[in-house]
């Protein structure tokens, strides 16, 4: 029986500002969800940012949707089996990040009750995953080169550069020339239009693994056209809102590799289906990131251990983001992160660390 949920807001300063084409994050305002059943507890992290700039969701809105619509929709649901959330949540349109946070908290509780690790439950085959790092837009190329040099020295196996018009070919060229044959990719977060195709083709000589989401979220056909005009493989992030959207984008030739984010598709059950639909079509996937704390990271690292994840993810170590994580920190070991082995997501927040960063808590009965 599900008793209720605690919604907890925490303020987590980032160790360095993270600038993208849509804004700059200085600290994370994170919503954590703790599910309480009569036999277990579980945690989920909402990946919505403070403002609706990556997608339409934002953290205060997600908290409101969870309180007013998602938790009430669970009345009468007999246990924490996360599959039971899918039908009631499907009636509520949109809000995948809010849904994912609640479903993951239940999934964690349910797996803990059964003594099952999330990685095993999802069908993971690896006990460690290669780590990439996403590097924000900087004020200057020397500053970018210093940041990339630091990450490579720490052992990161793949570098992703955030790009936007005015910060694309030059930084890519500089990183390629300075660091040679590293695994390198870029992410535009929808900052271009199809009219920029010829400009984006200037990235072709740099042998990038992929260019992530160059065009708007709803311009799937534009991505298919762009794919015909550039050699760099196109990877969709924002556009892939479900397994069905993934199947459509693949059928149109709009994506040749896919970034999976459970928050963007409504949870780990749907994320697993995105993985499966891509695998069935011979499309590789990798796990993205939303600057998560150790709670969200633990579950992402489990997902990244699935066999269809063919590239290093944006699953970086805790110290890339925070001075002190709320869980035991994820640390880089030879460029890899260990997949948690305990039941559920395999980590729990440290009560002291949590208390220090908590700005509000609220208990909601089902
Ligand atoms: O978690 O290391 C991370 C961030 C990875 O670049 C990253 N995420 O579009 O893929 C993306 C962005 C979205 C979040 S930007 C605040
Ligand atoms: Mg992205």
């Amino acid at each position: 029986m599900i008793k209720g949920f605690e919604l907890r807001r925490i303020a987590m300063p980032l160790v360095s500002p993270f600038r993208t084409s849509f804004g700059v994050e200085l600290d994370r305002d994170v919503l954590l969800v703790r599910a309480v059943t009569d036999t277990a507890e579980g945690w989920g992290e909402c990946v919505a940012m403070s403002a609706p700039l990556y997608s339409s969701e934002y953290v205060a809105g997600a908290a409101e949707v969870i309180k007013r619509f998602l938790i009430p929709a669970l009345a009468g649901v007999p246990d924490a089996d996360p599959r039971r959330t899918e039908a009631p949540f499907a009636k509520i349109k949109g809000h995948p990040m809010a849904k994912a946070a609640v479903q993951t908290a239940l999934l964690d509780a349910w797996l803990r009750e059964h003594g099952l690790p999330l990685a095993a439950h999802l069908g993971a085959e690896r006990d460690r995953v290669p780590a990439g790092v996403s590097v924000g837009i900087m004020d200057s190329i020397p500053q970018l080169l210093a940041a990339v040099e630091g990450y490579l020295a720490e052992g990161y196996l793949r570098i992703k550069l955030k790009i936007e018009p005015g910060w694309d070919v030059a930084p890519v060229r500089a990183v390629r020339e300075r660091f040679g044959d590293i695994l390198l990719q870029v992410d535009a977060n929808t900052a271009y239009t199809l009219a920029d195709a010829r400009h984006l083709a200037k990235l072709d000589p740099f042998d990038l693994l992929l260019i992530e989401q160059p065009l708007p979220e709803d311009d799937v056909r534009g991505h298919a056209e762009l794919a015909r005009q550039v050699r760099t493989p196109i990877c969709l992030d924002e556009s892939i809102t479900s397994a069905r959207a993934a199947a459509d984008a693949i059928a149109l030739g709009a994506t040749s590799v896919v970034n999976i984010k459970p928050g963007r598709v409504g949870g780990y059950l749907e994320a697993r289906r995105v993985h499966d639909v891509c695998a069935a079509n011979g499309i590789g996937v990798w796990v993205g990131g939303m600057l998560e704390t150790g709670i969200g990271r633990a579950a992402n690292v489990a997902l990244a251990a699935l066999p269809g994840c063919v590239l290093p993810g944006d699953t970086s170590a805790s110290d890339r983001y925070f001075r002190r994580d709320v869980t035991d920190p994820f640390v880089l070991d030879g460029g890899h992160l260990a997949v948690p082995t305990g039941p559920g997501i395999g980590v729990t927040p440290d009560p002291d660390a949590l208390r220090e960063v908590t700005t509000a808590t609220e208990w909601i009965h089902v």
Side-chain angles (χ1 to χ4, degrees), residues 22 54 134 160 162 186-189 212-213 235-238 259 261 264 286 288-290 314:
F22 57 77
Y54 163 84
S134 176
K160 159 166 141 181
K162 290 292 196 178
V186 294
D187 184 2
N189 289 108
E212 187 177 335
Q213 197 73 41
C235 170
L236 292 181
D237 171 359
E238 284 90 331
N259 168 327
K261 288 178 183 164
R264 199 190 59 222
W286 55 280
M290 293 294 286
D314 284 342

Side-chain angles (χ1 to χ4, degrees), residues 303-324:
L303 181 67
L306 291 186
C309 296
V310 297
L311 290 172
D314 284 342
T315 41
S316 311
S318 294
D319 68 359
R320 182 258 173 271
Y321 310 93
F322 311 112
R323 214 180 307 282
R324 185 183 184 192

